[in-house]
Amino acid sequence: MSQYTVPCKGIVAYSEHDWKFEDLLTREPHEDEFMVEMIATGVCHTDISGYGGIYPRVLGHEGAGRILRLGSKSLEKNFKPGDLVILSAASCQSCHYCTTGHPAYCTSHAAVTLHANDPNFVLAADPSRVIGGGYFGQSSFASPTPVKATCAANVSALVRNAHDLIAYAPLGCGIMTGAGAITHVARCTPSDVLAVVGLGGVGLAAICAAKHLGVQTIIAADLVPARVELARTLGATHGLHSAPAELEARGTDLQGAIRALTPGGRGATHVLDTSPSVVVLGACLEAVANNGTVLQVGVKPVGARLELDTLAHMVHGRRLVGVIEGDRDPVEALPELVRWCKEGFLPVEKLLRNYPVGEFAAAREAMEKGEVIKGVLVW
C-alpha cells in the first residue's frame, strides 16, 4: 500500500526557473516530525536561486503554520495539535555544535537543509512521479507538509491567531540571520560604527537590531535609493547610494564612501556584507577600521575566491567572519523576534508584501527585480 495518503498542494521546482503549483500527495509524519498546515511562507533568494541544485523538489524554508498532528508522543513535551509554529533550519540536535548552542553549524547542516531531498511527495495525477522534500526540514512551499520538529519554534503563547502569524513567517531565515549577526556574532555596543551593505531583509533586520542595541553610527548602503531611505526610517543614521555610477560621479569607491561617513574617517568597526559579490566583500574589508570585523552573510558563487593582502590584513587586525542563521538557535531566537515585532523594535510590516500562494510567480519576479524586500505567500 502506498505511503502517500495525504492530499496537499505545493509549488514544485522542476528547475531553477520552472516552478509549477501542483496537486500532490504526501506521507504521514515520522517520529521526529509533525504535520503542518501552512499559513504563510516567505520567499527567499535561496529558494529562487535553487541552492542545492536538486530537482524536482518542493522548496520553501520560511514557513509558519498550525500543527495538525504529531508523529510521536515524544514531541508532546513541546508541541501539541493546534499550536502555531514558525519554521527555520533543521538540525541533528546531537552533534557538538547542536549541544553547545550553535545548531546553525550542525555537522549535518547541508544534509538537512540545502541538500535534503527526502521522497516526501508524489504528483496526485501520477503517483509514480516522486518529488523531493524536506528542504531545511520543512519544504514549506507545500501544505500540509511533514516538518522536522527541530526546525520549529512554538509561538502559540505570543501569537493570537493565524492571521497575526502571517507577518512572522519570514523571521526564520534572513531576518534571524541579520539580527543575530549584530546581536550574537558582532555583539555591537553603542560606541561601535556599523555599515550594512545591501538592504534586503537581512540588512534591514541588522539595522533594526543595531538600533535596538543603541549603536550610535549606522551606515546603510544599497544600489536602490528607496531602500536607503527605508533604512533611515528603521534607524540608520547615514545613507549611501552605492550604485557604481553614483560612486564614480562622486569620485570615490565603496570603501572610500563608507569611510567618509565614519567618525574621523577611520572606518567602521563592523561591516555586514549581504551581497553576492566577492568584489564587494573585498571593498568591505577595506572599509573597516583597525581591529574591525567584516561579517559575511551574503552567499557568493560556488568556488569563488577572495584575493587578500595578507600582510595588510594582519597589520590592521582585520577579521572576516562567516555567519549562518545569525548563529542563533531558532527555538530561542524566533520568540524573541516576535516580541521585537510586537514591541516595535522590528517593524516587519514595512518589509513585507503579501501574495496569494497561487501568485507565487509574481512574488518571485518582484523579489528578483528588487521591487519588494520580502514576498510572503499566504495559503
Side-chain angles (χ1 to χ4, degrees), residues 259-319:
R259 281 183 169 273
L261 295 173
T262 65
R266 292 186 296 273
T269 60
H270 300 83
V271 178
L272 183 74
D273 171 30
T274 76
S275 80
S277 168
V278 174
V279 173
V280 169
L281 178 61
C284 290
L285 276 168
E286 295 298 322
V288 294
N290 288 353
N291 208 32
T293 301
V294 173
L295 303 144
Q296 180 197 336
V297 297
V299 178
K300 314 307 180 193
V302 174
R305 296 289 185 267
L306 174 68
E307 289 190 8
L308 186 68
D309 183 329
T310 56
L311 179 60
H313 187 74
M314 179 188 73
V315 169
H316 293 293
R318 297 168 180 161
R319 290 179 292 274

Side-chain angles (χ1 to χ4, degrees), residues 2-370:
S2 173
Q3 63 176 315
Y4 302 104
T5 58
V6 182
C8 68
K9 291 182 177 293
I11 302 165
V12 178
Y14 289 96
S15 70
E16 180 179 344
H17 302 289
D18 182 15
W19 292 11
K20 294 181 180 178
F21 195 49
E22 304 270 34
D23 288 317
L24 303 171
L25 297 172
T26 190
R27 57 168 176 77
E28 291 291 342
H30 293 156
E31 289 187 353
D32 60 345
E33 299 174 330
F34 35 66
M35 187 70 75
V36 173
E37 174 193 13
M38 287 300 155
I39 291 168
T41 310
V43 180
C44 179
H45 288 287
T46 301
D47 300 311
I48 292 172
S49 60
Y51 271 98
I54 300 169
Y55 303 103
R57 186 163 57 159
V58 177
L59 303 172
H61 65 287
E62 292 184 348
R66 180 187 293 106
I67 295 176
L68 296 177
R69 52 191 172 275
L70 306 180
S72 67
K73 288 185 176 296
S74 64
L75 301 176
E76 291 178 350
K77 179 180 177 181
N78 298 310
F79 303 100
K80 65 180 184 301
D83 281 347
L84 299 177
V85 291
I86 302 175
L87 309 179
S88 184
S91 57
C92 77
Q93 292 295 292
S94 60
C95 71
H96 167 76
Y97 302 101
C98 287
T99 57
T100 56
H102 303 280
Y105 300 102
C106 173
T107 56
S108 300
H109 180 80
V112 298
T113 58
L114 298 175
H115 295 155
N117 189 39
D118 300 331
N120 287 357
F121 306 96
V122 296
L123 292 178
D126 180 8
S128 67
R129 184 71 185 277
V130 177
I131 307 295
Y135 194 62
F136 280 71
Q138 52 178 287
S139 283
S140 55
F141 281 170
S143 181
T145 183
V147 167
K148 294 292 186 186
T150 61
C151 79
N154 194 334
V155 294
S156 298
L158 295 170
V159 183
R160 294 179 301 175
N161 54 51
H163 181 268
D164 290 350
L165 188 65
I166 292 172
Y168 306 134
L171 296 181
C173 184
I175 291 175
M176 184 176 75
T177 296
I182 303 306
T183 60
H184 283 66
V185 181
R187 298 185 182 276
C188 287
T189 65
S191 62
D192 281 319
V193 177
L194 171 68
V196 177
V197 178
L199 302 174
V202 176
L204 293 172
I207 286 171
C208 291
K211 181 183 179 183
H212 184 48
L213 294 176
V215 177
Q216 295 176 7
T217 304
I218 305 172
I219 300 164
D222 198 272
L223 302 173
V224 181
R227 293 195 173 195
V228 176
E229 292 307 309
L230 175 59
R232 285 182 176 275
T233 71
L234 297 176
T237 58
H238 300 74
L240 174 61
H241 180 200
S242 58
E246 176 70 17
L247 295 173
E248 183 178 352
R250 294 167 58 181
T252 188
D253 51 21
L254 178 60
Q255 55 265 42
I258 291 174
R259 281 183 169 273
L261 295 173
T262 65
R266 292 186 296 273
T269 60
H270 300 83
V271 178
L272 183 74
D273 171 30
T274 76
S275 80
S277 168
V278 174
V279 173
V280 169
L281 178 61
C284 290
L285 276 168
E286 295 298 322
V288 294
N290 288 353
N291 208 32
T293 301
V294 173
L295 303 144
Q296 180 197 336
V297 297
V299 178
K300 314 307 180 193
V302 174
R305 296 289 185 267
L306 174 68
E307 289 190 8
L308 186 68
D309 183 329
T310 56
L311 179 60
H313 187 74
M314 179 188 73
V315 169
H316 293 293
R318 297 168 180 161
R319 290 179 292 274
L320 173 58
V321 180
V323 181
I324 295 290
E325 301 292 340
D327 196 12
R328 297 299 309 272
D329 183 341
V331 173
E332 173 189 272
L334 294 177
E336 177 181 86
L337 290 174
V338 170
R339 287 191 289 270
W340 278 23
C341 293
K342 293 165 75 72
E343 293 166 8
F345 302 131
L346 179 60
V348 70
E349 68 280 356
K350 292 186 177 182
L351 312 183
L352 309 182
R353 182 184 297 176
N354 294 341
Y355 297 82
V357 67
E359 296 179 13
F360 66 89
R364 173 182 171 141
E365 182 179 4
M367 290 279 293
E368 290 178 309
K369 291 181 175 179

